[in-house]
Amino acid sequence: MATMSNSYRRFQLVSATIMAMVMLFLFSLVPAMADGGVIKKTNMTVYFHDYSAGPNATSLPMVGFPGKLWSYTDFGTFVMTDDLVTEGPELTSAVVGRGQGISITAGLDGINAYVSFSLVFTNKAYNGSTLQVQGNGNRFLPVREYSVLSGTGKFRYATGYLTFETLSSDPSTFYTLFRVNVTVRHH
């Protein structure tokens, strides 16, 4: 009888484990089911307009090591950014929103930067929505790739990636133009 009891207990344990796994799987589907279960893919190209100095600066070093010059290539320099984002490369192009966040020079050699920012949409199509971006990479490569970790509004549950491509840079005006290609999946 003791053998039967041990077998029955094992059966109950295995059954409970399988039931818990099934329940976890079903609960993971709730967000998808709430939105009809449709996963959308959005591709877009936008342009970031960055001024790293001057009276209209949109990207400035805020914190660095005491006693050292705070420059974009000095390890530990913390840079705050609030760039204009437009549909086309011209400053007069329709406004899409703002690129707001931080970058920190993460490499001792000054090449890599850790980036974390929100693409905050203000245009009619995505007003109030955001994409949250994060990554670490060589800021001097012509094209850099970062992860899209999440989103809000029309980009709820977003995941994906985006690439930053430097189109032009004018040291005399401290202006840099970036083309940003975004690919996200979302509900």
Side-chain angles (χ1 to χ4, degrees):
M1 182 113 170
T3 307
M4 185 86 140
S5 178
N6 285 340
S7 295
Y8 184 70
R9 285 187 189 136
R10 276 192 218 115
F11 172 75
Q12 283 182 319
L13 180 61
V14 169
S15 296
T17 302
I18 291 171
M19 182 59 105
M21 292 171 67
V22 168
M23 294 301 288
L24 284 172
F25 173 74
L26 291 175
F27 283 127
S28 73
L29 296 177
V30 170
M33 292 186 318
D35 291 337
V38 177
I39 296 177
K40 302 170 199 153
K41 181 178 179 184
T42 299
N43 294 304
M44 70 176 76
T45 299
V46 295
Y47 296 84
F48 278 52
H49 302 270
D50 183 80
Y51 289 91
S52 59
N56 299 317
T58 60
S59 184
L60 287 172
M62 295 289 149
V63 178
F65 286 109
K68 288 188 78 179
L69 178 66
W70 297 349
S71 79
Y72 293 94
T73 57
D74 283 331
F75 175 71
T77 300
F78 180 104
V79 177
M80 197 66 153
T81 300
D82 184 7
D83 287 344
L84 174 67
V85 180
T86 61
E87 285 182 8
E90 302 82 16
L91 277 168
T92 57
S93 183
V95 173
V96 173
R98 306 293 297 190
Q100 299 174 328
I102 61 169
S103 68
I104 302 167
T105 305
L108 289 171
D109 58 6
I111 293 174
N112 282 1
Y114 168 79
V115 173
S116 178
F117 71 91
S118 297
L119 178 47
V120 180
F121 292 92
T122 59
N123 62 343
K124 186 175 181 181
Y126 303 114
N127 190 30
S129 300
T130 65
L131 289 172
Q132 312 311 316
V133 178
Q134 183 177 310
N136 188 343
N138 181 336
R139 71 175 97 202
F140 300 109
L141 290 176
V143 178
R144 283 102 40 223
E145 185 174 309
Y146 299 102
S147 300
V148 175
L149 301 177
S150 64
T152 63
K154 292 191 177 180
F155 295 112
R156 193 168 292 136
Y157 301 111
T159 59
Y161 69 97
L162 56 78
T163 59
F164 266 78
E165 179 182 359
T166 304
L167 292 183
S168 65
S169 186
D170 183 355
S172 68
T173 60
F174 308 105
Y175 173 72
T176 303
L177 176 64
F178 300 102
R179 177 175 32 225
V180 179
N181 295 304
V182 180
T183 300
V184 291
R185 286 188 165 80
H186 55 95
H187 291 275

